[in-house]
């Protein structure tokens, strides 16, 4: 009797683990192909910055920025509006030849997030925050000059 009970409990635990692992995984971010991207711009409402405009620097920067976005972790949180509920967000515009894609970067409880409207919310690598800060700082310097 104890053997059957133990086997039954183990079986149910295994089923529970499998069901938890098969839970909703969230939608991956949808980004344009690298060759379609012309430039990237960021804005915090006061300052704006853009990817470098010289061909060699721009290509390397855009490729690095895109690699960070592609490698984000899905949070399984849903995005159900045009812009984040968090009021202190930074707008990231990805400019292509025929369209502009907008996503949002923000911090909440010391955690960084990227939100793509109606697609999902993601956790980026810390390097994204550094790239955005660099872009905003360079845009601020250009504006002062």
């Amino acid at each position: 009797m104890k053997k059957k009970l133990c086997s039954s409990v183990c079986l149910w635990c295994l089923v529970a683990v499998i069901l938890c692992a098969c839970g909703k995984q969230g939608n991956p971010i949808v980004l344009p192909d690298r060759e379609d991207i012309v430039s990237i711009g960021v804005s915090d409402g006061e300052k704006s910055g853009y990817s470098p405009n010289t061909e060699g620097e721009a290509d390397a920067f855009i490729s690095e920025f895109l690699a960070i976005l592609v490698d984000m972790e899905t949070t399984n949180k849903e995005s159900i509006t045009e812009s984040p509920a968090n009021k202190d967000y930074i707008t990231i515009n990805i400019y292509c030849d025929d369209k502009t894609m907008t996503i949002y970067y923000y911090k909440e409880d010391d955690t960084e997030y990227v939100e793509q409207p109606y697609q999902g919310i993601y956790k980026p690598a810390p390097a994204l925050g550094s790239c955005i800060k660099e872009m905003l700082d360079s845009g601020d310097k250009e504006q002062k000059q």
Side-chain angles (χ1 to χ4, degrees):
M1 180 69 176
K2 284 185 178 181
K3 201 173 193 179
K4 283 185 178 182
L5 180 61
C6 184
S7 295
S8 179
V9 169
C10 288
L11 178 64
W12 282 110
C13 287
L14 181 62
V15 168
V17 168
I18 291 171
L19 289 176
C20 287
C22 294
K24 187 176 178 186
Q25 291 296 315
N27 296 324
I29 192 162
V30 176
L31 298 167
D33 293 330
R34 167 59 194 101
E35 57 272 3
D36 295 336
I37 300 173
V38 176
S39 68
I40 298 173
V42 296
S43 175
D44 66 1
E46 295 175 16
K47 298 185 283 185
S48 295
Y50 298 90
S51 53
N53 57 8
T54 59
E55 191 173 327
E57 288 179 21
D59 189 50
F61 183 86
I62 291 169
S63 294
E64 178 185 336
F65 200 93
L66 191 61
I68 294 169
L69 292 177
V70 167
D71 196 35
M72 292 189 295
E73 176 186 336
T74 303
T75 64
N76 295 327
K77 294 180 181 180
E78 293 182 348
S79 174
I80 56 172
T81 59
E82 282 291 323
S83 61
N86 186 312
K87 299 294 181 202
D88 296 323
Y89 59 81
I90 293 173
T91 304
I92 302 171
N93 289 309
I94 302 172
Y95 299 103
C96 298
D97 287 326
D98 59 346
K99 65 180 177 183
T100 300
M101 174 181 281
T102 302
I103 57 177
Y104 302 94
Y105 168 89
Y106 58 90
K107 289 184 181 182
E108 190 173 275
D109 299 328
D110 293 327
T111 302
E112 298 174 347
Y113 294 101
V114 169
E115 185 168 338
Q116 185 173 35
Y118 304 109
Q119 184 67 17
I121 300 173
Y122 312 92
K123 283 186 188 178
L128 182 64
S130 299
C131 282
I132 290 171
K133 183 178 180 337
E134 181 182 312
M135 290 171 73
L136 289 172
D137 289 346
S138 69
D140 193 36
K141 287 177 189 173
E142 288 176 15
Q143 198 173 31
K144 287 180 181 176
Q145 290 176 350

